[in-house]
Amino acid sequence: MNMTAVQTIDVVLGQRSYPVWIGPGLLDDAARWRRVLRGRHVLVLSNTTVAPLYLERLSQGLQGLTWSSFLLDDGEAHKSFANVGRALEALGQLGATRDACVIALGGGVVGDLAGFTAACWMRGIDFIQIPTTLLAMVDSSVGGKTGVNLPTGKNLVGAFHQPRAVVADIVTLETLPEREYRAGLAEVIKGAAIGDEAFFNWLEQQVEALIAREPTVLIEAIARKVRYKAGVVSRDETEQGERALLNLGHTFGHALETAGGYTRLLHGEGVAIGMVLAARLSERLGMSDATHTARLQHLLQRLGLPMVIPTAMDPQQLLALMRLDKKNSAGQLRLILWRGVGHAEIVSGVDESDVLAVLQSPS
Ligand code: NAD
Ligand code: GLY
C-alpha cells in the first residue's frame, strides 16, 4: 500500500473527547497511541484469528508495560456474558488497577466485548479501540456502545463507555476476507443514506476504487463516515434522539441476524437487507418513492451486498424478533424510516401489518 496521510477526527464529548486516527501503519506507531495510556497495566483483548496476524506487532509497542492477552474464539456467538466474566478474571490475574487499560484488537465482536469489560472492571477503566475490520473502523469502534448478546437477542446487555482513542490502521484490512469487507461497506453506505447526500453521490462514483481497496479512497470513505457518526454522537451520546437514526436498517437487520442464528448473515449484510426493507416500508407508508429505493439497491448491488430476505426465514418470526428492539417503547414499534438519500427519520407507532406486508413480499 502507498503511504498516505493519517486523518484525525475528534469525537467531542468534553473531558471524554477522543481522537479517531485513520491511516496506514498506525499499529506500529506506538509513540502516537501510548500517549493515551495512563497506567502500567494493559490487557489486550483479541481473537484467535486476529491475534496471530497482528498481536506480535502490537506487542512491540507495549514494551516496558505489564500486559497480557485474552483471546476469544472467533464469531458472534462468543460475544457473550460468559466471556466477559473470563476477561474480567484475566484483568484480575494481571493485577489491573483503576489506571489499567484494555486494548481491543479486532472487529466489532472483540471491540464490543472489550469495551463492556472495561466498563465493568472497577466500575470503569480506559480502553482503546484498534479496529481491524472495515465495519469496526467506520461504526462499532466509534461512539462508545459496548455490550454482549443474550440467547434472546443481540446487544441486549451493555453500557455506554467511550474509548480513549480509536486507532484504525487501514493496512490491517489487507487480510480481511472479501465478504467481511463488503459487509463493512454496508455501514459506510448507511451513514451516507441517513444524513449525507453528497457522500452518497461520492460513493456512487468510487465503486471500483472501493472494491479495489484503494488506500486514499478507503481512508476518505472511512473518514467521511466517522466524521458523520462523530457529529451525531457528540450531539446525542446516549441516544435520546438523533443517534437512533444511525440504526437505519437495524431493526430489520438484527431480526434477520438472530433468525439466522448469527451465522447465516454478517451484521453488515443484515443492515444492507434491512435498509432496503426500511426503504420499501417507507414507500408503502407514502414517505418515499420507488426511485429512492432503486438508487439504494443499485449501489448495494454494485458493491456485492445482499438485498433480499434469505429463503426459509419466517416473516412472523422476524416480526416477533423486531418487537424486542431496544428502540421500541410502550409496546409499539419505533423504526428508522427513510425519505430518500440523506434523509432518515424516527417513526413511532408503525403498524405491524405494514411491517409484515413488507416482510412477506419477495422484493
Ligand atoms: P467480527 O468482529 O466478527 O469480525 C469479522 C471477521 O473478521 C471475524 O472472523 C474476525 O476474526 C475477522 N477479522 C477481523 N479483522 C480481521 C483482519 N484484519 N484480517 C482477517 N480477519 C479479520 O465482525 P464485525 O463485522 O467487525 O463486527 C460485528 C459486530 O459489531 C457485531 O457484534 C455487531 O453487533 C457489532 N456492532 C457494534 C456497533 C457499536 O456501535 N458498538 C455498531 C455496529 C456493529
Ligand atoms: N451503530 C449505532 C450506534 O452506534 O449508535
Side-chain angles (χ1 to χ4, degrees), residues 139-140 142-143 145 187 190 229 233 239 243 246-247 250:
D139 197 354
S140 61
V142 178
K145 280 190 183 176
E187 292 282 6
K190 186 192 75 178
K229 180 165 182 179
V233 169
E239 202 167 306
R243 185 165 179 173
L246 296 178
N247 291 307
H250 279 61

Side-chain angles (χ1 to χ4, degrees), residues 1-5 22-28 54 57 132-134 137 168-176 178 181 209-220 222:
M1 264 185 186
N2 297 331
M3 290 307 284
T4 321
I22 304 157
L26 289 167
L27 196 56
D28 308 304
Y54 300 113
R57 273 171 57 199
T132 61
T133 64
L134 181 57
M137 290 182 190
D169 183 342
I170 62 150
V171 180
T172 61
L173 297 179
E174 287 179 358
T175 55
L176 191 66
E178 188 63 21
Y181 177 73
L210 286 167
I211 289 171
R213 309 188 195 192
E214 206 277 295
T216 49
V217 171
L218 199 46
I219 291 176
E220 183 64 17
I222 298 167

